[in-house]
Amino acid sequence: MCYWNEKMETIDKESLKKIQSERLKDTVKRVYENIPYYREKMKEAGITPDDINSVDDLHKLPFTYKTDLRDNYPFGTFAIPLKEIVRVHASSGTTGKQTVVGYTHHDIDIWSECVARCLTSVGINKDDIVHVAYGYGLFTGGLGLHYGAELIGATVIPVSGGNTARQIQLLKDFEATVLCCTPSYALHIADQMREAGVSKDDLKLRIGIFGAEPWSEEMKSQLENLFGIKAYDIYGLSEIMGPGVSMNCQHQGGLHIQADHFIPEIIDPDTGEVLPEGAEGELVFTCITKEALPLIRYRTKDLSVLNSDVCSCGRTTVRMKKVTGRADDMIIIRGVNVFPSQIESVLLKHSEVEPHYMIYVDRINNLDIMEVHIEMNQSIFSDQVRKIEALERKIRHDIESTLGISTKIRLVEPNTIQRSEGKAKRVIDKRKLY
Ligand code: DLL
């Protein structure tokens, strides 16, 4: 069995707009009636549910921010009584309280279908053995992929993150064909395989479902080579649902958004103005089928571009460009905006270094300084200092010509940069500590 919702995935624009408009009207009415916090927000904006008659009125609605969820911690943004909630997840972020999200049975069913659609779009089916190494628990990655893979009838191995030696053993023994985890953890698994003398030919993997953090095209090629697989990008966020809000299909021309459940917009992150299709800006989602937590115009802080051309796979759903950075992760160095994924792209063009890196930012004598620590691979590590210095110069030059800013490069010994079993931390910005 596979999970292909032809009606929704190939729907024409007019019919989709009709469905979205109906669902939006219903959602706005529900949040207005059931969530005091939304009622207040709408009153402040001078609107009532009667002002929302179609998706064209979406822009009238106020935005929802992560801080709104935190201010109503833990359950103040739920639209229904707690007894109807069958599952709670949470995401920690870097600061402050957890962001708590809840699901009804119906929400879990829709989430599972969305993930199942994603997995089906890259050819995963009931013959596959799906090794889920995303964390199980409050994080949505593990259970999100789990339910979707089960729905298509695949054999699910719920390993969760960590204990990498055991992961490798199980990948081998259970002959998994699909690996689901963050791209940084996949890289760590590949490293450990090399150390343990396990080759990609000892495994039966054919597909990787990677996401939950930004990763570059170069990292994708690297992972494809290391495992001998096709790697796909799955996107999502707990506040909207979890993994499966969008994913790229086999044609890889952007990530298909499940727009019958979530209406996407791109806005200017500074002014909040809605931008035309094709412009880059902050992704905003409105949930139109969620029962427990139907967020309206949720500001994701993720930067992307929308494209509603029909994809070669036949799906008509609007696609979003790979998220290569969050407004939060952007480092501003002497006025230049830099995303870690841009640095990653440059590093991965150099075969003498490993894709393990850490970016340190500081301000010395009022000047922003960026230093990138990168692991050398074994071959260059045993080389003369002269060669290592020449490589540092070469990488520095490449980063300078790509990003237009000067940086310090320090090649460090293999295995000295901390590995991640979930979302990788790439930046230490000491300026924030002052
Ligand atoms: O990371 C859900 C998820 C789990 C997605 C497993 C994919 C796979 P949160 O912990 O709430 O939820 O974090 C959401 O992670 O706003 C993005 O900044 C980032 N993110 C998620 N997927 C991608 C991706 C999960 N494919 C936040 N590319 C989002 C880039 C991603 N960033």
Side-chain angles (χ1 to χ4, degrees), residues 274-295:
V274 180
L275 298 179
E277 187 171 311
E280 188 181 54
E282 180 180 342
L283 262 173
V284 170
F285 285 106
T286 298
C287 303
I288 49 171
T289 51
K290 290 269 290 291
E291 291 179 335
L293 186 65
L295 294 186

Side-chain angles (χ1 to χ4, degrees), residues 134 139-141 212-214 233-238 302 323 326 423:
Y134 285 113
F139 178 53
T140 52
E213 63 185 6
D233 192 7
I234 188 163
Y235 168 88
L237 59 164
S238 355
D302 294 326
V323 171
R326 285 175 61 78
K423 293 177 193 256

Side-chain angles (χ1 to χ4, degrees), residues 214 280 301-303 323-333 336-345 357 359 370 403 405 426-427:
E280 188 181 54
K301 298 219 169 163
D302 294 326
L303 302 175
V323 171
T324 47
R326 285 175 61 78
D328 281 358
D329 292 343
M330 191 173 75
I331 329 164
I332 305 179
I333 307 286
V336 178
N337 299 348
V338 178
F339 287 102
S341 58
Q342 290 174 295
I343 293 176
E344 180 179 292
S345 298
Y357 62 96
I359 302 165
M370 180 169 77
L403 302 180
I405 47 162
R426 308 280 197 202
V427 183

Side-chain angles (χ1 to χ4, degrees), residues 199-364:
S199 124
K200 62 182 174 189
D201 300 328
D202 297 324
L203 307 183
K204 295 271 190 308
L205 286 178
R206 64 184 197 95
I207 288 177
I209 304 292
F210 304 133
E213 63 185 6
W215 50 308
S216 60
E217 285 297 329
E218 289 74 13
M219 175 76 97
K220 175 165 140 49
S221 315
Q222 176 106 351
L223 289 171
E224 289 186 334
N225 290 334
L226 285 168
F227 286 102
I229 56 172
K230 290 294 291 175
Y232 296 101
D233 192 7
I234 188 163
Y235 168 88
L237 59 164
S238 355
E239 295 86 337
I240 297 305
M241 179 178 76
V245 172
S246 68
M247 188 168 125
N248 53 15
C249 66
Q250 281 164 321
H251 293 267
Q252 308 239 5
L255 290 79
H256 289 273
I257 297 173
Q258 318 284 354
D260 49 327
H261 298 296
F262 318 105
I263 306 178
E265 295 171 277
I266 290 283
I267 62 157
D268 178 320
D270 297 323
T271 64
E273 181 202 350
V274 180
L275 298 179
E277 187 171 311
E280 188 181 54
E282 180 180 342
L283 262 173
V284 170
F285 285 106
T286 298
C287 303
I288 49 171
T289 51
K290 290 269 290 291
E291 291 179 335
L293 186 65
L295 294 186
I296 305 284
R297 303 194 83 202
Y298 183 72
R299 302 272 304 247
T300 65
K301 298 219 169 163
D302 294 326
L303 302 175
S304 185
V305 178
L306 295 179
N307 167 13
S308 59
D309 294 345
V310 176
C311 178
S312 341
C313 73
R315 286 177 183 79
T316 53
T317 42
V318 58
R319 282 169 286 156
M320 55 181 257
K321 197 173 143 209
K322 184 176 186 51
V323 171
T324 47
R326 285 175 61 78
D328 281 358
D329 292 343
M330 191 173 75
I331 329 164
I332 305 179
I333 307 286
R334 300 188 288 276
V336 178
N337 299 348
V338 178
F339 287 102
S341 58
Q342 290 174 295
I343 293 176
E344 180 179 292
S345 298
V346 175
L347 301 184
L348 286 177
K349 291 189 179 123
H350 294 270
S351 58
E352 307 91 332
V353 296
E354 298 291 328
H356 300 295
Y357 62 96
M358 189 62 105
I359 302 165
Y360 294 89
V361 184
D362 205 349
R363 182 166 291 148
I364 296 173

Side-chain angles (χ1 to χ4, degrees), residues 1-6 9 112-128 147-154 206 250 315:
M1 185 174 64
C2 59
Y3 218 95
W4 162 234
N5 186 332
E6 188 171 356
E9 295 184 76
S112 310
E113 174 177 341
C114 287
V115 175
R117 284 186 197 175
C118 291
L119 301 181
T120 302
S121 76
V122 298
I124 296 170
N125 58 46
K126 80 183 292 295
D127 295 331
D128 279 296
Y147 274 56
E150 259 187 17
L151 188 60
I152 59 176
R206 64 184 197 95
Q250 281 164 321
R315 286 177 183 79

Side-chain angles (χ1 to χ4, degrees), residues 11 24 38 42 45 51 75 99 108 201 216 229 257 259 364 400:
I11 193 165
L24 175 67
Y38 265 122
M42 284 173 63
D51 295 308
F75 304 137
T99 310
I108 298 276
D201 300 328
S216 60
I229 56 172
I257 297 173
I364 296 173
E400 282 177 13

